[in-house]
Amino acid sequence: MSAPVAPFPQVDHQRAVFEDGLALDCGTVLARHAVAYRTYGTLNAARSNAVLICHALTGDQYVAETHPLTGKPGWWDSVVGPGKPLDTDRYFLICANVLGGCMGSTGPREEMTDAEGRGMGRPWGTDFPNITVRDMVRQQKMLVDRLGIRRLLAVVGGSLGGMQALQWAACYPDAVYAAVPIATAAQHSAQNIAFDEVGRAAIHADPDWRGGRYWEDGRVPAQGLSVARMVAHITYLSEEALQRKFGRKLRGAQTLTLLEDVFEVQSYLRHQGSTFVRRFDANSYLTITRATDYLDIAAEHGGDLANAYRGSGTRFFVASFSSDWLYPTSASRSIVRALNAAAANVSFVEIASDKGHDAFLLEEPDFHRALGGFLAGCADRLGV
């Protein structure tokens, strides 16, 4: 990765542009802002079948179609589509690129604007304000309102997406019939923050970082961003999954020597890192990881998570995976205990899996059946 890597190409995204200001938790107002999004399925006449899908840290709005940059299938193709848990024959699905992202929504890679919303002819870069998960949700609510949807059938998401689902239910309970936080937490642990900081430090240490102004000479801090991705990707897997897939197998060698032999797992991580820099912006990575670290829904409600959901009519389905050590089942159980204390309607399942945190993105039939059954039950109650 020593050669300079050019920024990824420009892609035209479906976007909603808002001239109304977006007030952020940090005190800044974005006078003009945009949200890039995709939809799947058909909105019914009553506008009652809409489901908002919230993506994870390095995901985006291309949930169930060929990605315009990578050419790869959508990140949740196994869950979204006709007859699948998120059934496009029954539901109208919306997925928005988060505020601060790099796939068309307002963020560090987009053109900076002044206090009146006028373009300044340069990217925001590190001048983009600090944002929170609650800011992301505020912008998504503006999109949902723009689409003429009064109440969402459900908000569904894993990891950072699950944080958004929890924040939606806390901020807009009357606008969310059901919330599905998957493999997530209501606040980051010290370990979560530590891993994020290692990734950010790797980006900052890259000589092409240039104080975050790498866009000035048309390159990206590829080495640092690649290392950040490699570190994060390790946390998405489990020891069992790594051992089963790679063990101590060597790539291109029969025995280990003192030469440049490469373990299969090393090669895999390097590939993950090298492909990531072709589609993700470093400043967006910094912005979004900080937003996840800032999240503390309990602190927003007097230090008691239950206070966020008291009196809520939202139904909850909380799911975790047994081998997920990034957002372990204990974090999901803490959410469930708070929901029980708030007398909320909550269902909980821990899926036995050895695939780690990434299990929610992979083929997990038990999870798919549970998710599909919960959503179908909600739809039946509403006559959708």
Side-chain angles (χ1 to χ4, degrees):
M1 303 285 305
S2 57
V5 175
F8 49 82
Q10 292 284 347
V11 174
D12 290 329
H13 305 282
Q14 178 182 4
R15 306 202 316 167
V17 178
F18 298 92
E19 304 297 339
D20 296 336
L22 177 63
L24 305 178
D25 282 338
C26 68
T28 297
V29 175
L30 294 175
R32 186 177 188 271
H33 58 100
V35 55
Y37 69 101
R38 300 295 289 168
T39 63
Y40 307 86
T42 303
L43 186 62
N44 63 16
R47 298 181 179 269
S48 61
N49 68 333
V51 175
L52 178 67
I53 301 172
C54 301
H55 67 74
L57 172 63
T58 60
D60 53 46
Q61 67 270 34
Y62 295 98
V63 179
E65 61 189 290
T66 301
H67 196 280
L69 280 180
T70 67
K72 294 181 178 180
W75 57 267
W76 230 9
D77 267 353
S78 62
V79 171
V80 174
K84 295 180 180 179
L86 287 169
D87 189 348
T88 49
D89 288 337
R90 188 172 192 181
Y91 311 124
F92 176 66
L93 308 176
I94 310 159
C95 186
N97 186 218
V98 295
L99 179 69
C102 54
M103 289 297 286
S105 289
T106 295
R109 189 170 179 263
E110 296 299 309
E111 184 180 14
M112 186 176 181
T113 55
D114 63 17
E116 282 72 45
R118 295 184 295 255
M120 299 179 67
R122 51 152 289 193
W124 278 96
T126 52
D127 290 317
F128 191 71
N130 286 327
I131 60 168
T132 65
V133 174
R134 186 162 51 185
D135 293 328
M136 297 174 183
V137 167
R138 287 192 186 104
Q139 189 188 51
Q140 292 165 3
K141 180 63 162 61
M142 296 177 75
L143 173 63
V144 169
D145 290 344
R146 171 75 62 88
L147 295 173
I149 297 164
R150 184 183 64 83
R151 182 172 67 167
L152 292 161
L153 171 62
V155 180
V156 180
S159 198
L160 168 60
M163 295 176 179
Q164 294 166 66
L166 289 170
Q167 194 76 77
W168 258 95
C171 293
Y172 305 108
D174 294 338
V176 183
Y177 182 75
V180 184
I182 305 161
T184 194
Q187 64 175 18
H188 262 182
S189 67
Q191 178 175 262
N192 294 145
I193 296 169
F195 275 113
D196 281 349
E197 180 57 23
V198 170
R200 291 190 292 260
I203 292 170
H204 290 151
D206 190 308
D208 285 334
W209 162 243
R210 300 179 184 272
R213 301 178 69 89
Y214 48 87
W215 45 269
E216 289 182 332
D217 58 0
R219 55 176 71 191
V220 298
Q223 288 180 306
L225 186 57
S226 176
V227 170
R229 173 62 171 175
M230 290 167 68
V231 170
H233 200 72
I234 292 169
T235 72
Y236 303 154
L237 305 173
S238 67
E239 182 179 1
E240 296 94 331
L242 284 168
Q243 186 64 29
R244 181 183 65 249
K245 189 170 184 177
F246 303 110
R248 291 181 56 82
K249 290 182 289 187
L250 297 173
R251 184 177 181 85
Q254 296 300 315
T255 59
L256 184 65
T257 71
L258 297 180
L259 303 175
E260 289 296 317
D261 297 323
V262 178
F263 289 100
E264 287 279 5
V265 68
Q266 290 175 285
S267 177
Y268 171 75
L269 290 174
R270 291 175 183 177
H271 174 73
Q272 288 292 325
S274 64
T275 57
F276 184 62
V277 303
R278 303 286 181 179
R279 69 172 180 87
F280 214 86
D281 178 65
N283 280 325
S284 279
Y285 192 88
L286 300 175
T287 297
I288 298 172
T289 57
R290 290 191 195 103
T292 62
D293 290 346
Y294 297 150
L295 179 75
D296 190 342
I297 298 177
E300 297 169 6
H301 294 84
D304 185 352
L305 185 59
N307 288 340
Y309 306 106
R310 295 192 193 281
S312 173
T314 301
R315 295 171 177 267
F316 293 84
F317 173 67
V318 181
S320 70
F321 297 88
S322 59
S323 58
D324 184 351
W325 58 276
L326 182 63
Y327 297 112
T329 294
S330 58
S332 290
R333 291 190 184 279
S334 295
I335 295 168
V336 172
R337 283 194 295 269
L339 292 170
N340 284 332
N345 186 320
V346 57
S347 302
F348 168 65
V349 62
E350 180 189 31
I351 302 297
S353 170
D354 69 354
K355 297 173 184 173
H357 180 63
D358 265 357
F360 80 93
L361 298 171
L362 305 174
E363 287 293 338
E364 286 289 354
D366 290 344
F367 168 60
H368 293 177
R369 282 191 293 270
L371 173 61
F374 173 79
L375 290 174
C378 291
D380 288 343
R381 291 185 187 93
L382 291 180
V384 171

